[in-house]
Amino acid sequence: MGIRTVFAVTGLALATAMPQASAQEVTLRAVTSFAEGTQFSRPFERFIEKVNKDGKGIIQINFIGGPRAMPPFEVGNAVRSGVVDIANVTGAFYTNLMPEADAMKLITKPMSEQRKNGTWEYLNQLHNQKMNAYYLARQFHNVPFHIYLNKKIDKMDFTGLKIRVTPVYRDIVQALGGTPITTPPGEVYTALERGVVDGYGWPVSGIFDLGWDKATKFRLEPSFYGAEVNVLVNLDKWKSLTDAQRKVLTDAAAWLEAADEENVAINKAEVERQTKAGIQAIDFGPAVSEEFRKKANDVGWQSVIAKSPETGKKLRELAGN
Ligand code: 173
């Protein structure tokens, strides 16, 4: 046996003798569809830290990054194809693959209830079938949306206004006569600054993260719908995991969903901060607000059901609104 062969054989023996636990540790590649360190990404980043702490020797997550690494509207497809293994992404960014994802904003019961009443299971099946994804968690219960404006309106009418949207706000903006312009969050500031849009849809929290407060004059009342950002896992990857690996993810997901308890306090602080920043509320009173909410709910469901008659109706039943 030549000296080279001896080294080769010894190397192989060493590799085979590696302890099993470390040989089995799996690393998932993660992206977030919101800018790193901002409101709708931070909880997911903490989730990653938790998995990396609790999952030592079992499962780890390699955080690739946010929209600088991958455009938000491509994240769903990256999960589907397995380009990434796990992602933080709102349904509004993947309606191209799963039209029913637009219904998630209309389903506002707490996750504890959705996991009991069959909603999670039904949505998980849709994610499995339509985008090869496992629906691990949903975040941001109790975080509603608003329309923010730079032009004052004196009635609930958007005629003549161009408003930045995602699928979340498109139907209500159109129903009130406005012109919807779709952009990812990363283009909102420039669109406002250049006057390309007169306003935008966004949740009650998070407008300070990218400096939008400097380009925002009004927040229209009332709030409506419920924000949702999901943690999705590529389904083939999910199926390939051991029970122990899945448990680390599932436990961290439960921890992530429980963090939603803080949201009401966060919202209150954000509205106060907006007031201090000079952003004024436009409020037409309870009757007009009630009518707005009803219209938003109705046009939202009509749009979902027009695209997905059967699954849309089932989701509306589960949502109970
Ligand atoms: O406005 C958006 O980009 C959007 O649809 C959204 C959804 C959930 C949380 C934050 C923003």
Side-chain angles (χ1 to χ4, degrees):
M1 205 186 270
I3 190 77
R4 271 166 209 280
T5 323
V6 171
F7 278 132
V9 170
T10 313
L12 183 68
L14 279 175
T16 323
M18 293 266 280
Q20 270 223 326
S22 85
Q24 277 185 354
E25 183 183 275
V26 65
T27 300
L28 307 182
R29 290 161 51 86
V31 295
T32 173
S33 59
F34 292 95
E36 287 165 54
T38 62
Q39 189 80 13
F40 296 96
S41 186
R42 273 197 308 269
F44 179 65
E45 291 163 32
R46 287 199 286 264
F47 163 91
I48 292 175
E49 283 166 19
K50 182 170 171 59
V51 169
N52 288 344
K53 187 158 81 52
D54 298 348
K56 285 206 170 73
I58 305 167
I59 187 165
Q60 296 288 290
I61 297 180
N62 174 18
F63 183 40
I64 312 282
R68 278 177 303 183
M70 183 178 289
F73 290 100
E74 285 172 28
V75 169
N77 203 35
V79 173
R80 186 194 60 75
S81 65
V83 165
V84 301
D85 302 310
I86 186 165
N88 183 59
V89 60
T90 177
F93 296 168
Y94 57 83
T95 54
N96 56 330
L97 299 172
M98 177 179 152
E100 295 93 336
D102 195 28
M104 295 176 84
K105 70 192 182 197
L106 299 159
I107 303 171
T108 52
K109 290 175 180 169
M111 273 313 268
S112 50
E113 204 175 325
Q114 291 189 42
R115 286 185 182 275
K116 281 190 210 119
N117 74 3
T119 309
W120 175 84
E121 198 174 359
Y122 191 67
L123 281 168
N124 184 42
Q125 278 171 21
L126 291 173
H127 281 87
N128 289 181
Q129 289 161 8
K130 306 219 162 180
M131 52 190 299
N132 193 38
Y134 181 79
Y135 174 35
L136 183 67
R138 168 174 171 159
Q139 314 156 73
F140 301 109
H141 178 61
N142 272 335
V143 182
F145 296 98
H146 282 276
I147 301 294
Y148 297 85
L149 294 171
N150 276 332
K151 288 189 180 151
K152 192 154 194 174
I153 53 172
D154 51 19
K155 58 180 191 299
M156 200 53 104
D157 185 349
F158 295 164
T159 303
L161 297 180
K162 288 171 289 178
I163 299 181
R164 174 270 173 184
V165 301
T166 65
V168 170
Y169 329 93
R170 173 181 297 276
D171 299 302
I172 184 61
V173 163
Q174 273 175 331
L176 292 174
T179 304
I181 298 177
T182 303
T183 83
E187 287 168 26
V188 171
Y189 186 84
T190 313
L192 287 167
E193 224 190 6
R194 295 190 183 158
V196 173
V197 296
D198 305 304
Y200 58 97
W202 192 257
V204 61
S205 54
I207 70 157
F208 294 92
D209 282 331
L210 300 174
W212 301 349
D213 55 300
K214 294 181 194 72
T216 304
K217 294 202 176 91
F218 306 102
R219 182 189 64 255
L220 179 64
E221 299 291 336
S223 65
F224 57 104
Y225 302 155
E228 122 284 317
V229 181
N230 307 302
V231 181
L232 304 184
V233 183
N234 171 273
L235 189 58
D236 303 307
K237 182 59 79 171
W238 177 258
K239 286 180 178 162
S240 77
L241 300 178
T242 63
D243 287 348
Q245 289 163 342
R246 288 184 193 177
K247 187 172 186 310
V248 174
L249 294 180
T250 304
D251 289 352
W255 173 86
L256 184 62
E257 287 180 358
D260 274 343
E261 279 165 26
E262 293 160 33
N263 291 341
V264 171
I266 294 172
N267 298 346
K268 190 166 171 279
E270 287 269 329
V271 169
E272 282 165 12
R273 193 172 167 199
Q274 287 178 16
T275 306
K276 284 204 188 98
I279 297 170
Q280 289 175 270
I282 299 178
D283 191 339
F284 298 115
V288 174
S289 292
E290 186 53 36
E291 197 188 332
F292 174 92
R293 279 208 171 127
K294 188 178 178 323
K295 185 175 274 183
N297 189 65
D298 288 347
V299 296
W301 280 118
Q302 274 160 22
S303 170
V304 168
I305 291 166
K307 288 178 198 118
S308 316
E310 210 176 299
T311 47
K313 276 191 197 122
K314 170 80 181 162
L315 287 168
R316 189 167 194 177
E317 269 169 43
L318 287 164
N321 58 9

